[in-house]
Amino acid sequence: MPKLDKRLKTVARLIRSQTHADIGSDHGHLLAALLAAGRVERGIAIENKRQPFLNSTATLAGKNAEVRFGDGLAALSKGEVQSLSICGMGGESIVRILNENPDRVPSSLVLQPNHKADQVRRWAWQSGYHLRDEQFAPGHWQYVVLAYSKATPPESEAPDPAYVNLDLEAAFLFGPTAIRNPSKSFLERLQEEREYLTQMKCHTPVTDQRLRAIDRLMVHSTV
Ligand SMILES: C[S@@+](CC[C@H](N)C(=O)[O-])C[C@H]1O[C@@H](n2cnc3c(N)ncnc32)[C@H](O)[C@@H]1O
């Protein structure tokens, strides 16, 4: 039974489903752990590269899982799964995979962008998915893990409540739960980033946007 690192353990704790698809399964460890723990009844691993496809096939052999060679959600049919995960990719890749087959995106999602998490949060905001949980996991760097549910009436008539009364732009960049109840370590990380960005000689629209958002968030902070 493969042991999950803290990042994938955090992902696994947010999944409970009948049939779950893991897009970009690579080693296949997440689905193997979910099946072993009884958190999912059946798994579908999807890979678009040969060696990761073979790795997933080996890990999931003999389990209630199928491994498919294909590109993102194109390898799924509509309504086939109740939930999916996409982990360990950049936010832009995650959003591209979701946008390429919008009719196959299930109602429950766990997304773990390695960077550009704001793109995933903006996609969810625009697509009617409400944040169910936001966790941070230690590892190579601080990973964010985002769990979403598709909002249904009457919730879908209002914007995601996770963002109510927050600076929307800052919440997209740094996470609505992190900025609503900022921990000391979160504020220290913001302060570190602020110092780093302030010293940069060349700024881009992205670094400017982050610096402005940090300044707004730190106005009342004593860190
Ligand atoms: C960095 S690995 C992450 C593996 C695993 N999800 C994890 O978090 O540990 C990304 C994996 O996604 C696969 N991948 C990237 N784009 C994909 C796509 N459009 N469809 C299926 N697999 C994809 C890659 O081949 C690679 O194995």
Side-chain angles (χ1 to χ4, degrees):
M1 191 37 231
K3 271 197 83 168
L4 299 182
D5 60 14
K6 287 182 178 160
R7 172 182 66 90
L8 285 179
K9 261 189 199 153
T10 306
V11 170
R13 285 192 199 108
L14 294 171
I15 297 169
R16 199 175 277 284
S17 179
Q18 198 180 346
T19 304
H20 178 86
D22 187 38
I23 318 297
S25 53
D26 196 353
H27 35 71
H29 292 172
L30 177 63
L31 275 184
L34 289 168
L35 287 159
R39 297 190 75 87
V40 308
E41 279 175 33
R42 180 167 171 265
I44 301 178
I46 298 175
E47 254 303 331
N48 69 350
K49 291 186 193 68
R50 186 173 155 72
Q51 191 55 52
F53 169 78
L54 295 175
N55 295 344
S56 290
T57 304
T59 303
L60 295 166
K63 305 190 190 325
N64 193 14
E66 215 183 302
V67 185
R68 296 183 187 169
F69 191 83
D71 183 4
L73 305 191
L76 281 179
S77 30
K78 204 174 156 184
E80 197 181 12
V81 297
Q82 289 74 48
S83 61
L84 67 73
S85 45
I86 312 179
C87 305
M89 297 185 204
E92 69 276 57
S93 300
I94 293 177
V95 167
R96 184 179 44 73
I97 288 171
L98 295 167
N99 277 337
E100 275 173 0
N101 291 281
D103 61 332
R104 295 172 211 188
V105 181
S107 59
S108 183
L109 313 175
V110 177
L111 306 172
Q112 183 268 302
N114 277 356
H115 51 85
K116 298 192 182 168
D118 63 303
Q119 296 197 13
V120 175
R121 296 191 183 100
R122 287 177 215 276
W123 172 88
W125 172 266
Q126 286 157 9
S127 308
Y129 280 80
H130 287 189
L131 188 68
R132 185 160 48 85
D133 208 334
E134 179 173 56
Q135 298 283 330
F136 295 88
H140 186 60
W141 56 77
Q142 168 99 340
Y143 295 102
V144 64
V145 183
L146 302 160
Y148 291 102
S149 297
K150 179 82 180 171
T152 51
E155 285 81 11
S156 54
E157 284 147 27
D160 185 347
Y163 291 86
V164 166
N165 296 331
L166 292 181
D167 176 328
L168 193 57
E169 203 51 39
F172 285 147
L173 288 171
F174 300 105
T177 60
I179 70 167
R180 192 176 294 285
N181 295 304
S183 64
K184 190 163 178 286
S185 62
F186 172 72
L187 290 170
E188 283 167 357
R189 277 200 308 280
L190 277 191
Q191 180 59 20
E192 272 173 34
E193 185 172 346
R194 180 200 238 170
E195 282 163 19
Y196 172 75
L197 291 172
T198 307
Q199 285 161 17
M200 274 177 66
K201 292 206 170 68
C202 294
H203 276 266
T204 65
V206 172
T207 58
D208 272 342
Q209 186 188 35
R210 289 185 77 86
L211 190 52
R212 281 198 306 270
I214 292 173
D215 282 341
R216 293 196 303 278
L217 291 175
M218 299 288 281
V219 163
H220 304 295
S221 164
T222 52
V223 172

